[in-house]
Amino acid sequence: MIPISHNLMLDEREVEFSMIRAQGAGGQNVNKVSSAVHLRFDIRASSLPDDVKHALLGSGDRRITKDGVAIIKAQTHRSQDKNRAEAIERLAAMIASAARPVTPRKPTRPTRASQQRRVQRKVRHGQIKLMRGKIGGDAG
């Protein structure tokens, strides 16, 4: 079980790993060893609560495909185990952020002093713009 939050756990059997060769620098090690990890997690078929599933699918995260599969690629470490742990950690962070309830915005009003400061700034800016006009009496 992968802990997501204090009351949310994810079954490891729902996560699918595939090992691939990493990209970028690394010389012979990168060319020979499949140390990068592709993590695939089907959100719709998972055991997550429905509200978390809807939040994940509606989040607009580019790592989630149109089919509802989260794909995470981890390749920063030379070790396959470390890349696997990092991919799980990123998935847990993604799910935890979606599981966090959205606090509704409380509408506020600007104070009278802040309104006056805003108007004064606008007047001052307008005076500066007036001074940008032509100099002299004849306009022609």
Side-chain angles (χ1 to χ4, degrees):
M1 296 299 268
I2 301 168
I4 304 297
S5 64
H6 65 277
N7 59 351
L8 188 61
M9 300 290 271
L10 182 66
D11 193 359
E12 261 188 74
R13 293 175 292 195
E14 297 176 357
V15 180
E16 179 185 320
F17 294 98
S18 58
M19 307 315 167
I20 57 172
R21 289 193 182 145
Q23 297 171 326
Q28 189 173 1
N29 185 63
V30 167
N31 297 333
K32 288 177 70 175
V33 181
S34 298
S35 60
V37 173
H38 253 168
L39 178 146
R40 296 177 64 83
F41 175 66
D42 191 356
I43 296 168
R44 290 191 175 107
S46 69
S47 62
L48 292 173
D50 286 337
D51 56 336
V52 177
K53 285 183 192 180
H54 291 298
L56 268 173
L57 293 171
S59 68
D61 195 318
R62 63 179 176 82
R63 298 173 291 185
I64 300 174
T65 65
K66 291 178 184 173
D67 302 328
V69 178
I71 300 173
I72 297 175
K73 182 178 181 183
Q75 63 178 9
T76 55
H77 303 285
R78 289 173 60 100
S79 157
Q80 199 177 82
D81 291 334
K82 287 182 182 177
N83 282 332
R84 182 182 168 115
E86 183 185 342
I88 290 173
E89 191 175 301
R90 283 198 240 160
L91 176 68
M94 181 194 306
I95 296 172
S97 69
R100 197 171 302 121
V102 178
T103 55
R105 180 188 176 278
K106 294 178 185 171
T108 59
R109 290 201 166 150
T111 62
R112 180 172 288 169
S114 71
Q115 288 176 341
Q116 289 173 348
R117 283 192 303 268
R118 177 177 162 268
V119 171
Q120 287 171 356
R121 257 194 322 270
K122 287 167 69 82
V123 168
R124 211 175 317 123
H125 193 63
Q127 289 171 347
I128 290 171
K129 289 181 137 196
L130 276 176
M131 290 170 44
R132 293 183 188 158
K134 289 198 184 267
I135 299 174
D138 248 7

